[in-house]
């Protein structure tokens, strides 16, 4: 079978499955819906494996023009499938994690009444993400980008009868629209500058556009810089970077498989993919790279501090996702795109493992998510306990797990960049590494170890999850253990010459931080590992050996605890600045502009007609002699008028 056929099967199998199930949710059986959707994504995953070998290992490139999508004058956009090394890597991760999430959902959603609809949404989401990474132009990529946003709205709000789920879905949709507006402006400016939206026509023209400027607030600003900043605004929304991050923790209102799919390997990684795909653009804007570095670094430390004090098991893992995305972005900011994508890959495996393991805990604990109401259950669910340990070791960057390789090369690259921005990112990243290990083991200890704080009734029902849930965990655990070693040593993903990536990721020679990263001092290389170990040690001291100490610290630093627990008050700030002001503006427009001005025209005409009818209605008495009198008066008036005319 040709590579082109494999590519078409990979892209459209989830769509066909989603359509077959989604249009027949009321008549199709649960078993058949699960079989169709799981088969669709498994086919995609197998095709992704074949294409990864052919493209990433054997050097092939797949480029298929399916149809001419848009034609408007000289503006032409094709619907295509483009698979190079970067795309093949993303496809392997997306389809494999999605397939495991589909299988896991069979067990997790077993008691839900709307399983066909849920499975159809999962497959639709997978298709949109595949289209995003397979695009050879920005318009098609934007289609996938928006499709992912729509699908996430459907999945986060799946339990739509819950007000919290509906609000979270709307919040995710609206916050992402802010970023998408910037992304759309970036696409418009790219077309105005380069006359095309196809990557193959944009990138060769970049050297000739370096001196071009655009007017901005009375100043002439580099066109490339403006384009990169606009694209990055889109990335900030989709990948939950500081400022546009508020939707991500609320998105935990969706079912746990949704959390694993959206926040591990797909939607939130789209921004990292976009920066890597557009690396030829970003490489020519020092300003944009510095902004990305700082935003990524502060996102990293912000999310880590918030995760320290959260009590919802899923929200802790969600904030760790936000923090790890910060690592990926500041890697891109110091031109270590390969390191950022490498961490995207390893993170996809161990974060999906952590989310699905958390789902196994929630499933065992009768839907309880508060870690303060758990404890002492590791003997009851030992397999899940081991899986959580593996995922946490990878997240903490402990050797030889996957996170050790990818996180370390990011931190080494940031330090090797030599700039104030790179050094800032390094030290904030080290601080976040300590906090990451600490909150990961805080979660492990409070959930699994010590004395149980759950009720006897809940404990009596604690049980290990079925095979449909545990088998995906085991497969993800293999990735969490070995993905880092394979990527670093076997595939040589972070080689400084970029041989593995060929032309799919580009960096300038004077930005080759990966080369410099291999030659930094020994303490720079070892400090991230010791930071993780120190965080684990501190968690054990506080929560195992001195369990009363955390409460004393919380009381002593209650202001700091409240500040962190309320997520630096971003939601409250946005509520005042945007939500309440928008509601007030809408209320004023309704009461004044709409009710008093706009509605006054038709309402005024109606009122005049009503009052005139009231006056006329007095003449309609219903008495015959009144009507006869009127007729007589009319006849007299008519005769008088006739005589006057004569």
């Amino acid at each position: 079978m040709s590579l082109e056929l494999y590519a078409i099967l990979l892209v459209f199998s989830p769509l066909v499955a989603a359509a077959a199930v989604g249009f027949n949710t009321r008549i199709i059986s649960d078993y058949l819906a699960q079989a169709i959707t799981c088969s669709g994504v498994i086919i995609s995953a197998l095709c992704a494996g074949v294409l990864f070998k052919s493209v990433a290992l054997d050097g092939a490139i797949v480029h298929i023009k399916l149809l001419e999508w848009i034609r408007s004058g000289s503006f032409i956009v094709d619907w295509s499938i483009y698979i190079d090394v970067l795309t093949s890597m993303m496809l392997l991760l997306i389809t494999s994690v999605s397939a495991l999430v589909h299988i896991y959902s069979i067990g997790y959603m077993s008691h839900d009444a709307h399983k066909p609809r849920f499975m159809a949404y999962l497959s639709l989401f997978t298709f949109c993400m595949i289209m995003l990474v397979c695009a050879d132009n920005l318009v098609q990529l934007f289609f996938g980008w928006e499709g992912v946003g729509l699908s996430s709205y459907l999945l986060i709000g799946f339990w739509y009868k819950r007000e919290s789920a509906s609000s979270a879905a709307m919040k995710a949709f609206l916050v992402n629209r802010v970023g998408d507006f910037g992304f759309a402006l970036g696409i418009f400016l790219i077309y105005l500058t380069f006359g095309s939206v196809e990557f193959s026509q944009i990138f060769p023209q970049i050297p000739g556009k370096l001196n071009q400027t655009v007017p901005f607030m009375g100043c002439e600003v580099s066109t490339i810089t403006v384009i990169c900043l606009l694209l990055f605004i889109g990335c900030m929304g989709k990948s939950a970077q500081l400022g546009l991050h508020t939707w991500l923790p609320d998105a935990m209102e969706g079912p746990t498989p949704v959390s694993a799919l959206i926040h591990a390997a797909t939607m939130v990684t789209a921004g990292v993919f976009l920066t890597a795909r557009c690396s030829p653009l970003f490489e020519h804007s020092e300003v944009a790279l510095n902004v990305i570095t700082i935003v990524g670094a502060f996102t990293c430390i912000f999310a880590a501090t918030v995760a320290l004090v959260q009590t919802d098991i899923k929200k802790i893992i969600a904030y760790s996702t936000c923090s790890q995305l910060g690592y990926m972005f500041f890697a891109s900011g110091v031109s270590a795109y390969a390191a950022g994508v490498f961490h995207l890959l390893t993170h996809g495996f161990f974060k999906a493992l952590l989310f699905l393991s958390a789902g196994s805990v929630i499933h065992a604990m009768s839907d309880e998510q508060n870690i303060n109401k758990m404890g002492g259950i590791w003997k009851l669910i030992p397999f899940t306990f081991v899986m959580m340990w593996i995922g946490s070791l990878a997240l903490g960057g402990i050797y030889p797990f996957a996170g050790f390789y990818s996180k370390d090369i990011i931190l080494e690259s940031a330090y090797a960049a030599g700039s104030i921005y790179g050094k800032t990112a390094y030290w904030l990243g080290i601080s976040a590494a300590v906090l990451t290990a600490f909150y990961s083991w805080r979660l492990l200890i409070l959930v699994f170890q010590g004395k149980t704080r759950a009720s006897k009734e809940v404990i009596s029902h604690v049980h290990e999850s079925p095979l449909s849930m545990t088998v995906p965990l085991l497969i993800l655990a293999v990735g969490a253990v070995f993905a880092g070693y394979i990527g670093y040593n076997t595939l040589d993903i972070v080689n400084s010459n970029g041989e593995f990536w060929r032309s799919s990721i580009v960096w300038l020679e004077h930005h080759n931080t990966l080369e410099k990263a291999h030659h930094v001092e020994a303490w720079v290389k070892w400090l991230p590992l010791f930071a993780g170990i120190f965080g684990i040690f501190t968690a054990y001291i506080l929560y195992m050996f001195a369990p009363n100490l955390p409460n004393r610290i919380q009381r002593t630093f209650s202001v700091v605890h409240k500040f962190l627990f309320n997520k630096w008050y971003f939601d409250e700030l946005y509520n005042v600045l945007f939500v309440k002001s928008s509601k007030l503006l809408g209320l004023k427009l309704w009461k004044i502009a709409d009710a008093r001005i706009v509605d006054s025209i038709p309402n005024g005409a109606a009122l005049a007609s009503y009052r005139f009818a009231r006056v006329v209605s007095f003449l309609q008495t219903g008495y015959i002699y009144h009507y006869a009198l009127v007729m007589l008066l009319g006849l007299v008036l008519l005769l008088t008028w006739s005589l006057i005319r004569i």
Side-chain angles (χ1 to χ4, degrees):
M1 194 159 60
S2 66
L3 293 180
E4 287 75 13
L5 186 54
Y6 278 116
I8 292 172
L9 277 174
L10 186 155
V11 171
F12 291 106
S13 291
L15 178 62
V16 171
V21 174
F23 289 123
N24 299 284
T25 53
R26 296 189 178 185
I27 60 174
I28 196 169
S29 69
D30 293 346
Y31 176 79
L32 185 57
Q34 291 164 346
I36 291 173
T37 52
C38 288
S39 298
V41 290
I42 289 172
I43 290 171
S44 284
L46 294 174
C47 292
V50 172
L51 289 166
F52 178 78
K53 178 186 179 302
S54 300
V55 174
L57 304 183
D58 298 340
I61 288 183
V62 178
H63 194 182
I64 309 169
K65 176 183 174 181
L66 297 176
L67 54 90
E68 187 179 279
W69 184 24
I70 301 172
R71 176 182 286 273
S72 179
S74 61
F75 180 69
I76 301 172
V77 179
D78 294 328
W79 191 279
S80 303
I81 299 174
Y82 179 72
I83 302 177
D84 59 3
V85 178
L86 177 60
T87 303
S88 68
M89 179 73 77
M90 292 294 296
L91 288 173
L92 185 65
L93 176 65
I94 293 164
T95 56
S96 58
V97 172
S98 180
L100 295 173
V101 168
H102 274 72
I103 296 169
Y104 179 93
S105 299
I106 295 174
Y108 190 85
M109 302 294 287
S110 59
H111 300 298
D112 194 272
H114 304 286
K115 289 187 280 291
R117 179 165 60 89
F118 180 75
M119 301 302 287
Y121 288 169
L122 283 181
S123 292
L124 177 63
F125 181 94
T126 304
F127 164 73
C128 292
M129 190 66 198
I130 290 172
M131 286 310 309
L132 190 158
V133 300
C134 285
D136 72 343
N137 63 80
L138 284 163
V139 175
Q140 184 181 333
L141 190 152
F142 191 71
F143 168 84
W145 192 275
E146 292 301 303
V148 165
L150 171 63
S151 303
S152 68
Y153 170 81
L154 297 173
L155 287 168
I156 295 168
F158 177 74
W159 288 322
Y160 58 87
K161 292 184 179 180
R162 296 183 185 176
E163 185 179 351
S164 58
S166 297
S167 298
M170 185 63 69
K171 185 177 182 179
F173 192 79
L174 292 176
V175 173
N176 272 276
R177 296 293 75 72
V178 176
D180 294 352
F181 180 67
F183 187 16
L185 290 178
I187 295 174
F188 297 153
L189 187 53
I190 284 174
Y191 181 72
L192 288 174
T193 304
F194 298 97
S196 176
V197 292
E198 291 187 16
F199 298 123
S200 60
Q201 297 185 34
I202 295 169
F203 296 156
Q205 297 183 54
I206 294 174
K209 305 290 184 179
L210 297 181
N211 297 322
Q212 186 169 325
T213 60
V214 291
F216 180 74
M217 298 182 68
C219 302
E220 291 295 322
V221 184
S222 167
T223 304
I224 299 295
T225 294
V226 175
I227 287 171
C228 291
L229 290 175
L230 289 171
L231 294 181
F232 181 60
I233 290 173
C235 297
M236 288 178 65
K238 197 66 73 182
S239 296
Q241 292 301 282
L242 188 62
L244 295 178
H245 67 281
T246 53
W247 67 270
L248 188 139
D250 289 16
M252 296 301 104
E253 289 294 334
T256 300
V258 174
S259 304
L261 186 61
I262 291 178
H263 303 117
T266 53
M267 177 172 166
V268 294
T269 63
V272 182
F273 168 79
L274 180 61
T275 57
R277 172 62 76 207
C278 294
S279 55
L281 273 169
F282 285 98
E283 277 298 278
H284 292 283
S285 175
E286 293 289 342
V287 173
L289 290 177
N290 292 336
V291 169
I292 294 171
T293 303
I294 292 300
V295 171
F298 278 96
T299 300
C300 183
I301 192 66
F302 153 76
T305 59
V306 174
L308 289 176
V309 298
Q310 299 302 307
T311 56
D312 185 305
I313 186 172
K314 287 172 66 176
K315 286 192 176 181
I316 294 171
I317 302 173
Y319 276 108
S320 81
T321 296
C322 191
S323 182
Q324 298 303 305
L325 287 164
Y327 279 106
M328 299 175 207
F329 273 105
F330 77 67
S332 297
V334 297
S335 296
Y337 306 97
V341 176
F342 183 30
H343 195 52
L344 184 158
L345 175 68
T346 60
H347 174 265
F349 287 110
F350 66 69
K351 188 52 61 66
L353 174 61
L354 284 170
F355 267 120
L356 296 185
S357 296
S360 184
V361 171
I362 295 167
H363 182 78
M365 295 292 292
S366 304
D367 296 329
E368 180 58 67
Q369 294 185 201
N370 190 334
I371 61 175
N372 289 327
K373 296 180 180 180
M374 300 181 186
I377 61 173
W378 73 271
K379 290 183 179 179
L380 301 175
I381 48 173
F383 180 81
T384 301
F385 176 56
V386 172
M387 295 298 102
M388 285 288 283
W389 256 87
I390 292 173
S392 298
L393 287 166
L395 175 61
I398 306 302
Y399 179 84
F401 294 86
F404 167 80
Y405 293 94
S406 55
K407 185 188 291 185
D408 277 25
I409 192 62
I410 288 176
L411 290 169
E412 291 163 18
S413 299
Y415 185 87
S419 66
I420 185 65
Y421 305 100
K423 293 290 177 62
T424 300
Y426 176 80
W427 288 111
L428 289 178
I430 290 293
S431 302
V434 175
L435 300 180
T436 299
F438 178 83
Y439 67 66
S440 296
W441 264 260
R442 169 180 174 264
L443 185 153
L444 281 171
I445 294 166
L446 290 178
V447 171
F448 293 101
Q449 297 177 293
K451 294 181 180 180
T452 185
R453 297 170 299 283
S455 66
K456 290 183 179 180
E457 182 181 358
V458 171
I459 289 295
S460 66
H461 291 93
V462 174
H463 59 283
E464 195 62 86
S465 299
L467 284 176
S468 62
M469 294 171 65
T470 54
V471 170
L473 296 183
L474 184 61
I475 297 172
L476 288 168
V478 173
V481 175
F482 297 109
Y485 178 86
I486 293 172
Y488 192 92
N489 293 305
T490 306
L491 298 178
D492 208 12
I493 286 177
V494 289
N495 190 304
S496 58
N497 61 21
E499 182 178 350
F500 174 80
W501 299 101
R502 295 191 283 280
S503 60
S504 61
I505 294 179
V506 175
W507 57 82
L508 301 179
E509 187 58 36
H510 64 279
H511 284 169
N512 195 349
T513 50
L514 286 176
E515 171 62 29
K516 299 173 185 176
H518 294 298
H519 303 290
V520 296
E521 296 92 331
W523 67 267
V524 176
K525 294 175 176 289
W526 287 104
L527 189 57
L529 176 60
F530 287 115
I533 294 172
F534 177 73
I536 296 170
F537 176 76
T538 307
Y540 267 101
I541 292 294
L542 292 179
Y543 290 96
M544 282 292 286
F545 305 124
N548 295 323
L549 191 55
N551 288 331
R552 289 169 57 188
I553 294 173
Q554 178 179 333
R555 288 193 297 270
T556 304
F557 300 98
S558 58
V559 175
V560 176
H561 179 272
K562 189 176 181 181
F563 177 73
L564 297 179
F565 188 77
N566 287 288
K567 302 159 284 189
W568 292 26
Y569 290 100
F570 269 100
D571 282 313
E572 289 76 6
L573 177 63
Y574 289 173
N575 191 46
V576 172
L577 292 178
F578 305 115
V579 179
K580 288 186 176 179
S581 59
S582 297
K583 285 184 177 179
L584 180 62
L585 176 62
L587 185 65
K588 294 297 183 184
L589 289 173
W590 168 41
K591 293 290 187 180
I592 298 175
D594 189 42
R596 296 185 183 179
I597 300 174
V598 176
D599 288 351
S600 65
I601 299 173
N603 290 345
L607 182 62
S609 300
Y610 171 74
R611 289 176 176 174
F612 177 74
R614 287 289 301 272
V615 172
V616 174
S617 66
F618 287 117
L619 300 176
Q620 305 295 326
T621 63
Y623 294 110
I624 295 176
Y625 60 84
H626 285 171
Y627 298 151
L629 177 62
V630 170
M631 293 172 64
L632 180 61
L633 290 174
L635 181 61
V636 170
L637 290 173
L638 181 62
L639 291 172
T640 302
W641 178 73
S642 299
L643 291 171
I644 291 172
R645 289 190 62 188
I646 295 171

